[in-house]
Amino acid sequence: TKISRHWKMIYYVRMIVLNWKFKMVKPLTARAKAYRHIKQEILTGAFPPGFHLREERLTEIIGVSRTPVRQALSMLAGEGFVYVNDNKRSYVMDVDEESAEEIFDLLIKLEGYSAKLAAKKIDPQKLQELEELHQRMVELSSGDNYNDEIFLDLNAQFHDKVHLLSGNKQLYEMIKKIVNFPTIIYLKFNVRTESDGSIHHHGEILKALRERDAEMAEVLMRMHVAYIKSEYRNIWSNKT
């Protein structure tokens, strides 16, 4: 009948679309799989600060060879999540009070300057991407299904996009190595991220970027990082 032919046609079209979508989704490379697994375990606290990341054990857990594990560890070291000692052994990055103070002082200066450069170069498309990230953080924080791991990842993406917009490759590489440092502190003391303050600051920074106010963007980013530094001090004093 005409009706049955009609539904058969719909069925075939749907199968074609589903098959096309399936082909479009590329499987993760071994390196990406290792990177995602190790980073997730770090962010969830399963691999706490100071944890020895043994390559042979990671290959068994993740189901890949040593080469992609080493590549993933190298990538995470570049992002400040992993420390590789002189004997080539890898550990989840740990912190002490003195080094934390020094790194926060660097972040205040570097991130502030980067935001200043970004305000001069931002375009509507990049601004929209930042605003969408910000909105996702707002929705996550205000909803019933808050997840600290997801919030930390969105926060890292927000900062990374701002610093990429600076257009200064050397500055970006310097920041990239230490910008995730505050996350290690939260993981070390097993405390929940204070999301409301970060969301408010990001909104103010976005406003300055939207208005291409470079001086204000720098001031607001410096204030934002200084706020995180004061939060870190409170965490440290309460836990020690």
Side-chain angles (χ1 to χ4, degrees):
T1 65
K2 289 184 178 180
I3 294 177
S4 63
R5 286 199 298 270
H6 171 74
W7 285 109
K8 282 182 180 179
M9 182 62 69
I10 291 176
Y11 171 79
Y12 289 136
V13 170
R14 284 180 175 175
M15 291 301 295
I16 291 170
V17 171
L18 286 172
N19 187 51
W20 176 76
K21 286 184 176 179
F22 179 78
K23 289 180 178 179
M24 288 295 290
V25 178
K26 295 181 180 180
L28 286 176
T29 63
R31 181 180 65 179
K33 182 180 178 181
Y35 170 86
R36 179 180 290 185
H37 181 94
I38 298 168
K39 186 173 183 178
Q40 183 177 20
E41 295 295 82
I42 292 173
L43 290 177
T44 58
F47 294 165
F51 181 80
H52 185 188
L53 298 162
R54 301 178 186 274
E55 290 181 6
E56 64 276 11
R57 180 59 179 150
L58 290 172
T59 60
E60 294 173 6
I61 295 171
I62 304 170
V64 297
S65 66
R66 279 203 175 192
T67 297
V69 167
R70 287 173 183 160
Q71 292 171 337
L73 291 173
S74 178
M75 291 169 65
L76 289 164
E79 296 175 7
F81 284 110
V82 169
Y83 166 71
V84 182
N85 68 12
D86 294 337
N87 295 322
K88 303 299 181 182
R89 293 177 179 174
S90 301
Y91 299 84
V92 178
M93 182 66 75
D94 202 351
V95 295
D96 59 65
E97 195 165 4
E98 182 179 356
S99 61
E101 288 284 339
E102 293 172 350
I103 290 176
F104 270 117
D105 288 343
L106 275 174
L107 281 173
I108 289 171
K109 294 179 174 64
L110 296 177
E111 289 207 74
Y113 181 54
S114 181
K116 178 180 180 179
L117 295 178
K120 298 177 180 179
K121 300 181 179 181
I122 195 164
D123 58 56
Q125 180 182 345
K126 297 300 182 183
L127 180 62
Q128 183 179 350
E129 291 175 6
L130 282 170
E131 289 179 334
E132 288 174 356
L133 266 177
H134 178 64
Q135 185 58 35
R136 287 172 64 188
M137 295 174 75
V138 170
E139 292 171 358
L140 178 66
S141 182
S142 59
D144 296 328
N145 297 318
Y146 178 83
N147 183 301
D148 216 31
E149 179 190 347
I150 296 175
F151 184 87
L152 287 169
D153 184 59
L154 291 173
N155 181 72
Q157 289 183 51
F158 182 91
H159 282 258
D160 188 66
K161 283 185 179 295
V162 170
H163 301 318
L164 274 172
L165 284 169
S166 72
N168 188 318
K169 292 182 180 179
Q170 296 301 319
L171 177 62
Y172 174 74
E173 289 300 324
M174 290 173 67
I175 294 173
K176 186 178 178 181
K177 291 178 180 179
I178 57 176
V179 72
N180 291 308
F181 189 75
T183 300
I184 302 299
I185 296 173
Y186 295 126
L187 295 172
K188 180 181 180 72
F189 294 112
N190 193 28
V191 294
R192 183 181 184 276
T193 307
E194 201 291 284
S195 57
D196 292 341
S198 290
I199 289 172
H200 173 72
H201 295 156
H202 287 178
E204 294 296 309
I205 292 167
L206 268 174
K207 183 175 183 292
L209 292 174
R210 193 180 302 116
E211 296 173 355
R212 302 179 72 88
D213 189 337
E215 300 301 326
M216 183 57 69
E218 179 177 22
V219 169
L220 290 169
M221 182 63 85
R222 288 173 67 101
M223 289 174 62
H224 173 50
V225 181
Y227 172 83
I228 298 172
K229 180 181 178 180
S230 67
E231 186 184 22
Y232 136 77
R233 282 177 170 169
N234 290 333
I235 293 170
W236 202 286
S237 62
N238 291 333
K239 294 288 183 176
T240 56

